[in-house]
Amino acid sequence: MLRSVVLMIVSEYEEHLEKIFAKRAERSNDAHLHHFVRKSCERRFRSPDLTKIRDMLKHLGGDYDKSFWDVLENQNPVIKESWISLMTARHAIVHKAGNVVLSWGDMETAYANSRRVIDELVKAIGLTPEEIKDL
């Protein structure tokens, strides 16, 4: 059951990240740019580790990455570690690379904390609650 829930969480994160970046690109009112960002994200976030998120932020502008990383690295590293924990568990499950070292309680905590990574990403790229309410 734990394995299934971890895979479901990460799968939802993959889709949500794509939608967030596409929503930001939508602001340009350039249909071709919006399409490009959507297609780029579809491939980029099949395993949404923080390096991939940061790379995308750097491509959009270094200030986005700095803002995002400052919160995760300096202000609230527990949310960073929670994200890493879920991604590590996902990797172990998908690639059958050893045991998943996550208990059910650990998974619940990691999920609650990791959701804040998404919140910080949204803040870093300047999306409003109105813009993301239907994602």
Side-chain angles (χ1 to χ4, degrees):
M1 177 77 97
L2 176 76
R3 292 171 181 264
S4 296
V5 173
V6 167
L7 292 177
M8 186 173 65
I9 289 168
V10 174
S11 177
E12 288 297 317
Y13 281 163
E14 291 169 355
E15 288 182 33
H16 203 62
L17 288 167
E18 292 169 15
K19 290 176 184 177
I20 288 168
F21 282 108
K23 179 57 83 172
R24 181 61 183 89
E26 194 177 274
R27 275 190 184 170
S28 69
N29 291 320
D30 181 333
H32 296 289
L33 175 63
H34 183 241
H35 178 78
F36 173 77
V37 170
R38 270 195 3 255
K39 289 299 180 183
S40 295
C41 287
E42 285 176 7
R43 290 186 300 273
R44 181 175 304 262
F45 294 122
R46 284 301 148 235
S47 178
D49 63 50
L50 291 173
T51 302
K52 291 176 184 175
I53 296 169
R54 292 190 69 201
D55 284 346
M56 188 68 170
L57 289 170
K58 288 174 187 173
H59 289 301
L60 291 172
D63 53 332
Y64 287 157
D65 176 58
K66 183 178 179 335
S67 173
F68 175 73
W69 196 242
D70 183 52
V71 172
L72 269 63
E73 185 72 8
N74 300 320
Q75 296 177 29
N76 204 339
V78 72
I79 65 175
K80 177 184 88 168
E81 293 307 319
S82 292
W83 187 275
I84 291 169
S85 178
L86 287 174
M87 296 308 129
T88 301
R90 176 225 174 259
H91 182 81
I93 294 164
V94 171
H95 299 287
K96 297 178 174 69
N99 293 329
V100 177
V101 292
L102 206 60
S103 70
W104 189 266
D106 292 339
M107 184 270 305
E108 288 176 326
T109 301
Y111 174 65
N113 288 332
S114 67
R115 289 178 44 187
R116 295 178 55 203
V117 169
I118 299 289
D119 295 339
E120 293 304 329
L121 172 63
V122 167
K123 284 183 204 172
I125 62 176
L127 291 174
T128 66
E130 184 65 25
E131 288 174 302
I132 63 163
K133 72 176 182 178
D134 295 326
L135 299 182

